[in-house]
Amino acid sequence: MPEKLPRSFYQREDVVQIARDLLGKQLVTEIGGVRTSAKIVETEAYKGSTDRACHAFNYRKTKRTAVMFEPGGVAYVYLCYGIHHLFNIITNIEGEPDAVLIRAAEPLEGIEEMLARREMTELKARLTAGPGSLSKALGIRKEQTGVDLTDDQIWLEDYGETISSELIIASPRVGIDYAGEDAKLPWRFRVKENKWVSPAK
DNA sequence: ATGTCGATTTGCT
DNA sequence: GCAAATCGACATA
């Protein structure tokens, strides 16, 4: 039987380690009465205290980032470029605004529903490759910000699959040139030679 | 296959 | 005002 990841998984201190650990876990949503799930194959870590690329850098708190200061184990969904809903998992203890962005996953359950949400007819990697696409396929919208990940709307399951470290590729995050030196940190993780990751750079 | 561009909320200058 | 943790449409080659 799969195990729902407990709050303690998210409340650990090292957000980079959590980003690695999330590879191979299943992201499950039950929104609108339909269960959909996908196996995570690509993530990125953001650390509020020291990382210029993070929205809550230097503990900057706004209406949008307030949820990042909550104890680990809740969802942070924000709108990027005015259109895309990007799904993040808040980690660490209350007051430490760290997050992991889920960038890509392999579709497993509810594929018909995911295709319908994306207005697609054929199963292609595009369905869930890239943070905006993935959220749309799983039915996640910014209204889900603050949802408790140990509750029954959005959660993660562990099927005991571990991705060995040789299969994890670390690389710099994209689209964050404004972050200066921090843009070079290798905090993006993906599963090697996996067809479901977003286009490699 | 590669490039440019528009969509359109949020927060900083 | 403008640029952003993006994507897909459309153009050209």
Side-chain angles (χ1 to χ4, degrees):
Chain A
M1 281 301 282
E3 245 176 82
K4 189 182 282 192
L5 292 186
R7 199 172 296 282
S8 57
F9 177 90
Y10 305 107
Q11 298 193 346
R12 289 176 293 155
E13 201 178 313
D14 187 349
V15 65
V16 175
Q17 184 60 48
I18 295 172
R20 287 172 159 274
D21 290 346
L22 283 169
L23 296 175
K25 301 288 188 280
Q26 289 192 21
L27 175 60
V28 188
T29 65
E30 199 161 324
I31 293 166
V34 190
R35 178 181 161 115
T36 51
S37 71
K39 187 167 76 178
I40 297 169
V41 294
E42 187 173 332
T43 63
E44 272 178 17
Y46 288 86
K47 188 163 182 61
S49 53
T50 58
D51 174 12
R52 301 195 77 86
C54 182
H55 292 155
F57 166 64
N58 200 213
Y59 301 97
R60 177 178 35 158
K61 198 171 190 173
T62 65
K63 196 171 182 181
R64 184 177 65 164
T65 61
V67 68
M68 297 183 76
F69 291 79
E70 290 191 22
V74 298
Y76 168 44
V77 187
Y78 88 98
L79 212 47
C80 184
Y81 298 97
I83 323 186
H84 304 292
H85 299 256
L86 270 57
F87 173 67
N88 296 251
I89 292 173
I90 300 306
T91 69
N92 214 326
I93 57 171
E94 181 169 7
E96 286 295 330
D98 296 352
V100 177
L101 169 68
I102 309 302
R103 295 190 52 88
E106 172 183 349
L108 298 170
E109 298 168 87
I111 289 174
E112 288 304 310
E113 176 68 15
M114 292 196 261
L115 288 171
R117 284 170 179 156
R118 301 262 353 235
E119 299 173 315
M120 289 170 64
T121 51
E122 251 180 292
L123 179 56
K124 298 187 191 126
R126 270 220 341 247
L127 179 66
T128 51
S133 307
L134 176 64
S135 300
K136 189 164 186 191
L138 291 171
I140 298 173
R141 281 167 287 110
K142 70 182 168 78
E143 290 78 34
Q144 265 82 37
T145 281
V147 166
D148 187 329
L149 299 178
T150 57
D151 214 335
D152 58 7
Q153 193 176 172
I154 307 173
W155 69 93
L156 279 86
E157 289 181 359
D158 185 358
Y159 283 74
E161 180 176 343
T162 311
I163 310 293
S164 71
S165 53
E166 306 90 74
L167 285 180
I168 298 178
I169 299 179
S171 56
R173 298 166 295 179
V174 298
I176 52 161
D177 295 341
Y178 60 91
E181 285 298 302
D182 290 332
K184 295 176 187 156
L185 291 169
W187 283 2
R188 174 177 178 176
F189 303 102
R190 61 199 156 90
V191 178
K192 190 177 184 178
E193 287 167 15
N194 185 291
K195 66 175 280 204
W196 301 102
V197 300
S198 63
K201 276 273 145 68

